[in-house]
Amino acid sequence: MPTILYRNDPDIAPQDVMKIAVYAEHVGRQCYDVFETDGSRSRSESLSRRARDVSDSLDFGDDPYFSPETTKKVLDLRNTVWGMCFDYFGERGHLGKSTDLLRMAQDVEDVLDKLVIRYLSPEELEEAEAEADWAHESQFYPKIEGDNPNIIPRDDKGFGASA
């Protein structure tokens, strides 16, 4: 888990507070995180509470301030929305995040960059680098037969069959 340090004197503008408020409002009204097998969806009490807590804790004054508690609430809401929270629903049960939600999420990230500094421990940094290397290099590994029906079958020596 990364270490999060809260900045003592963040440079926050009233527009930053509005970005967070719009995000919390959208999540509280448009996003769902509970999905039933019959196709119905609902908003969990946890998601509703997180969105409400963020909205209730915002400072809309001329010189806004985000306390560490408010910042933590914003982080908690953002983490919840990154998970199984969707506001776009297509045909045959497709779940997605709308372009509006993705833009708002980027706005929230921009505000959070003003509020917090994230540090990874040496172990976390090493793990993240290894994961990034694996993801990059895995695209070059041959697929094993059975993983994907569109892959060329192999001969008995492990080479792709020739045509």
Side-chain angles (χ1 to χ4, degrees):
M1 194 79 185
T3 301
I4 296 176
L5 300 176
Y6 299 97
R7 296 180 189 238
N8 289 332
D9 189 20
D11 183 25
I12 299 299
Q15 297 88 342
D16 295 327
V17 177
M18 283 307 298
K19 289 175 182 178
I20 301 294
V22 168
Y23 179 74
E25 179 73 18
H26 181 84
V27 169
R29 293 183 185 262
Q30 304 285 332
C31 293
Y32 297 90
D33 63 340
V34 177
F35 306 97
E36 302 298 331
T37 56
D38 66 358
S40 64
R41 59 185 178 254
S42 62
R43 192 170 300 106
S44 69
E45 178 55 35
S46 174
L47 178 62
S48 296
R49 185 183 70 255
R50 283 184 169 101
R52 188 174 47 249
D53 287 350
V54 167
S55 294
D56 291 347
S57 65
L58 294 175
D59 175 4
F60 290 97
D62 292 334
D63 190 23
Y65 173 75
F66 277 81
S67 68
E69 294 80 22
T70 299
T71 302
K72 182 174 179 347
K73 290 175 184 177
V74 173
L75 285 165
D76 287 345
L77 180 62
R78 189 249 356 228
N79 291 341
T80 300
V81 172
W82 271 2
M84 290 295 293
C85 183
F86 302 98
D87 69 336
Y88 175 79
F89 307 95
E91 295 178 17
R92 295 187 299 259
H94 172 75
L95 304 173
K97 294 182 186 340
S98 68
T99 305
D100 289 340
L101 180 59
L102 295 173
R103 280 191 204 119
M104 285 183 260
Q106 184 57 55
D107 288 344
V108 168
E109 284 302 308
D110 294 343
V111 174
L112 285 171
D113 285 344
K114 295 179 180 183
L115 299 172
V116 299
I117 302 170
R118 297 173 184 102
Y119 288 105
L120 295 177
S121 69
E123 296 81 23
E124 290 170 324
L125 187 57
E126 185 178 321
E127 182 179 323
E129 289 171 349
E131 208 169 290
D133 288 344
W134 180 86
H136 172 72
E137 290 180 15
S138 70
Q139 66 185 331
F140 302 112
Y141 295 133
K143 299 288 183 192
I144 297 174
E145 197 174 338
D147 281 355
N148 185 334
N150 298 322
I151 301 299
I152 299 172
R154 300 171 189 273
D155 63 14
D156 61 336
K157 295 180 181 138
F159 296 105
S162 56

